[in-house]
Amino acid sequence: MNSWYSSLNQREQLSLLLLAAAVGMYLAYVLVWSPLASSRDELIVRNQSVASSLLRVDAMVSEVLLLRESGAGNSSKRNLTALINQSTSRMNLQVSRLQPNSRGELQVRLENASFDDVLAWLYEMEYSQGLLVREVSLTSSGSAGRVNASIRLAQGG
């Protein structure tokens, strides 16, 4: 290979080196730079989506805290199980487990539910029904915008 390169005149050697440099830069662009740039763009879009979700959740948390402080909501005692069943049915949420505890609270398990529907339901439970959301645990169900939720609710007031 070296003897073949040496047999070329200086102009051909320079052309060959420039061609090799151009091919090397093209390969670096295709194999390194382009995938990094597309990954960065995808992460930017994901980050913006998560930031907007966080803003919505923060707004809801602020409103819930205001409502708790003002004592808004219905404080009369009622059947939590019936209320949960009616509201989840109305909002097309599938309850996989509904378990009362000794303190009068209910543990509700929703699987593969729309994140927005779960938040709307929680908002209704706190704002319209006057229930207290004691604990919420959300995990991704594997599909975009779908979650598994474990929620502990109690009577307000």
Side-chain angles (χ1 to χ4, degrees), residues 107-118:
Q107 180 81 25
V108 181
R109 176 75 179 167
L110 306 170
E111 292 186 358
N112 198 25
S114 166
F115 177 74
D116 292 335
D117 290 346
V118 171

Side-chain angles (χ1 to χ4, degrees), residues 11-82:
R11 185 172 160 191
E12 291 172 335
Q13 288 177 351
L14 181 62
S15 296
L16 194 58
L17 286 175
L18 289 175
L19 178 64
V23 168
M25 289 190 316
Y26 174 74
L27 286 176
Y29 173 78
V30 168
L31 297 175
V32 177
W33 186 262
S34 182
L36 286 176
S38 66
S39 293
R40 184 199 66 219
D41 293 342
E42 183 181 318
L43 287 174
I44 288 171
V45 169
R46 272 190 184 160
N47 193 21
Q48 289 171 342
S49 173
V50 168
S52 69
S53 293
L54 180 62
L55 287 175
R56 289 194 316 256
V57 170
D58 282 344
M60 287 181 165
V61 165
S62 297
E63 192 169 337
V64 165
L65 291 175
L66 276 173
L67 290 172
R68 278 187 181 170
E69 288 175 7
S70 69
N74 187 1
S75 62
S76 65
K77 299 293 180 193
R78 63 195 165 232
N79 187 343
L80 277 181
T81 305

